[in-house]
Amino acid sequence: MNFQLLCLIIANAFIWASADEQTISKCDKNPLGELTFQLSGNSLLWPCDSTKNIYVQSGRYVPRNVIVTRAQLQRDTAYVALPRYKQGVPFTLGKVNLKKGLCLTKIAPYPCWAIQEEGNCQALQSVVDIAMDQNGLLWALDVGIVNTLEQPIRRCSPKIVAINTADGKVVKSIDLSDLVTSESRLQFLVVDYGKDNKPFV
């Protein structure tokens, strides 16, 4: 390759790069901005202010203790796990609307407030992992232990709960008490289907 040809290639590359920079400068330099959602313990959706005040005054809501550890996406919705590692986590399974244009994204209890009651073994105690399957079922691993990082309290037996995201109804609950010991530390959940379309969890 001769020197003149090399100079021509470099010059063309510079022109293309300059054109690209001009194009980028005309556009939003952060195109992912509108697709980014920041979630925190301060962004919970409450039924009313009085309910929130009751939770705050009783110590059942401490914003800094509410953290999202897992998420599963389904179209414009994200389902999130909010383990009760410390006191002050009002609900342990939530839902977030990811529709474009929403500035303030709130985490709502999923599927409802009633299934989040701490101490009620028919409800969710501390969800540490979630998985969305091919049939639109959201599977939640509930370890049954709250305040894990402070003074662990076993509220209920560990279980896996399946919720139909089409209507928010619980369709399956699997008690894991016979499959674990006091030393067990459940962390992850995997769901798959066999050829007969039956789930393996």
Side-chain angles (χ1 to χ4, degrees):
M1 181 180 295
N2 61 38
F3 180 73
Q4 290 179 337
L5 181 58
L6 180 61
C7 289
L8 181 61
I9 292 173
I10 293 173
N12 284 335
F14 178 76
I15 292 170
W16 290 334
S18 298
D20 286 342
E21 286 178 7
Q22 290 175 359
T23 302
I24 291 172
S25 65
K26 292 178 182 178
C27 300
D28 181 7
K29 291 186 178 180
N30 184 15
L32 295 179
E34 62 186 26
L35 301 175
T36 302
F37 298 86
Q38 184 174 357
L39 304 176
S40 76
N42 290 307
S43 59
L44 303 188
L45 185 63
W46 296 89
C48 61
D49 288 338
S50 59
T51 300
K52 180 180 178 180
N53 291 335
I54 291 171
Y55 272 74
V56 170
Q57 292 170 7
S58 64
R60 289 185 291 167
Y61 176 42
V62 181
R64 68 175 179 274
N65 291 346
V66 180
I67 58 172
V68 174
T69 59
R70 298 282 195 276
Q72 289 289 295
L73 301 178
Q74 185 186 50
R75 293 182 290 278
D76 56 3
T77 299
Y79 299 93
V80 295
L82 308 153
R84 287 183 166 127
Y85 289 141
K86 294 184 177 182
Q87 291 182 348
V89 182
F91 52 86
T92 185
L93 182 61
K95 177 180 176 180
V96 180
N97 189 336
L98 301 179
K99 287 184 179 177
K100 182 179 175 181
L102 292 178
C103 298
L104 300 175
T105 303
K106 297 286 187 180
I107 307 173
Y110 185 78
C112 61
W113 277 97
I115 202 172
Q116 311 285 341
E117 184 184 355
E118 188 175 335
N120 177 358
C121 292
Q122 300 302 312
L124 298 170
Q125 300 306 299
S126 186
V127 173
V128 297
D129 199 12
I130 53 178
M132 180 70 69
D133 74 13
Q134 62 194 31
N135 295 322
L137 296 181
L138 180 69
W139 298 81
L141 175 59
D142 178 8
V143 294
I145 301 173
V146 300
N147 302 339
T148 315
L149 299 180
E150 296 177 324
Q151 195 72 29
I153 303 171
R154 180 174 292 282
R155 294 290 190 197
C156 304
S157 299
K159 61 182 176 288
I160 295 173
V161 176
I163 303 169
N164 187 345
T165 57
D167 56 16
K169 292 183 178 178
V170 175
V171 296
K172 189 76 174 175
S173 182
I174 305 169
D175 188 344
L176 301 177
S177 56
D178 291 337
L179 303 174
V180 298
T181 69
S182 59
E183 302 299 319
S184 298
R185 295 294 178 265
L186 302 174
Q187 291 294 324
F188 302 104
L189 176 66
V190 177
V191 180
D192 200 0
Y193 278 79
K195 293 180 180 179
D196 57 359
N197 203 35
K198 290 184 178 179
F200 292 90
V201 183

